[in-house]
Amino acid sequence: MVYHESFQTVKGTINWDDPMYKLYEKAKKQGKWNPADIDFSQDRIDFQSLSNEEKIAALPLVAGFSAGEEAVTLDILPMIKAMARQGRLEDTMFLTTFLHDEAKHVEMFSRWQQAVGVGDMDLSIFHNDSYKRIFYEALPESLERLNTDDSPEAVIRAATVYNMIVEGTLAESGYYAFRQIFKKAGLFPGILQGIDYLNMDEGRHLQFGIYTIQRLVAGNDANYKVFIDYMDELWEHVIGYVDYLSALGEQQKKLAPTKRLLEVDYDMLRNYAVKQFNIRKNKIDRAKKYNSVDELEKALTEVES
Ligand code: DAO
Ligand code: MN
Ligand code: FE2
């Protein structure tokens, strides 16, 4: 039996200055969009006007996002439970908005697939082994562990794969690819609007991950090593997936060498993913210079206010 020994809000109040509380406030203001309000009618017309080769070229990214959004929606609960068990009220409050955001993201892609007429297609053919290692295995494994173990190591590993790799590296690169392909081609205004909303939501999710890992690695070399080792272990699969998308693009180029509407510069996408990965590492590196969690939290609060 688990008991509460006391309640924060009867001894005092919510900590209004807590960075996670501030994120919760931000989420309430920014997170008001509704996927059901996005008009996908032009996307449907655009998709129907593409050749079969071009239609296929548009789908791998959607296949990556649809399953990715579903995975994070299904897998995040143990993180919420772990923060709640630790009595981290402000983190838990923010995470209620986080799960809701992810649910809207799954809805957005599913609605698009249905609107353009690929709702019944099995898009998992676009998931290679690297993608599967991350989304079918590492993500659920690391999050599931939090059900029984909320040690700093377990929390860092979960936030590393979820926030730093899936969100901070892959999703960020995915938004870049979406804009590069579809915006440039003047196609799919509905999904592009959805991507702008997602991007804004993910900014808040990333702040949760950065804050969570930073507070655990501040002044703790062993915890920092857990973070950096897991980042490096997962990198092989990130790049394995990005290179696979690029190989698919090359294949399609050979099938339809002329009149290409959906052109992607895969070198740029690869460079972008490398850059995102290094930005995430640097953010966590910065926390090492603080000797304690208190010192770091004070600095973070100052930055936030
Ligand atoms: O919403 O938190 C989240 C995660 C979304 C999963 C993103 C998967 C991206 C797959 C495409 C990447 C292309 C480089
Ligand atoms: Mn999402
Ligand atoms: Fe997310």
Side-chain angles (χ1 to χ4, degrees), residues 44-208:
R44 183 180 175 81
I45 296 166
D46 289 346
F47 195 79
Q48 305 294 330
S49 71
L50 295 176
S51 68
N52 279 345
E53 287 80 13
E54 296 289 1
K55 278 183 182 142
I56 291 169
L59 294 176
L61 260 186
V62 174
F65 268 98
S66 264
E69 300 293 359
E70 182 174 336
V72 293
T73 304
L74 297 175
D75 294 340
I76 196 180
L77 261 182
M79 176 64 89
I80 307 181
K81 282 163 71 184
M83 294 300 108
R85 259 194 331 269
Q86 293 178 357
R88 299 190 66 89
L89 177 63
E90 293 80 5
D91 296 57
T92 307
M93 290 172 79
F94 169 63
L95 286 168
T96 63
T97 71
F98 196 134
L99 172 56
H100 186 215
D101 290 344
E102 299 299 18
K104 287 197 293 183
H105 301 174
V106 195
E107 181 193 340
M108 201 279 286
F109 284 104
S110 221
R111 283 186 181 278
W112 186 84
Q113 285 164 242
Q114 188 162 337
V116 305
V118 297
D120 293 329
M121 258 181 83
D122 180 0
L123 302 181
S124 66
I125 45 159
F126 297 117
H127 296 165
N128 72 337
D129 286 348
S130 298
Y131 183 92
K132 287 185 177 159
R133 176 63 202 129
I134 297 173
F135 289 93
Y136 290 54
E137 295 168 10
L139 181 75
E141 254 164 39
S142 303
L143 271 293
E144 167 70 25
R145 180 175 164 185
L146 295 177
N147 279 323
T148 51
D149 172 5
D150 57 19
S151 62
E153 178 183 337
V155 173
I156 291 169
R157 282 177 68 90
T160 300
V161 59
Y162 193 127
N163 305 113
M164 303 293 110
I165 295 293
V166 166
E167 299 187 320
T169 307
L170 283 172
E172 288 290 327
S173 305
Y175 304 141
Y176 172 80
F178 257 110
R179 290 176 183 131
Q180 214 199 59
I181 308 172
F182 301 139
K183 213 171 213 165
K184 245 169 62 184
L187 295 171
F188 307 146
I191 204 166
L192 282 169
Q193 190 191 347
I195 290 292
D196 286 344
Y197 289 129
L198 257 64
N199 205 169
M200 202 165 59
D201 293 346
E202 292 305 331
R204 296 189 302 273
H205 300 181
L206 259 173
Q207 284 190 51
F208 166 81

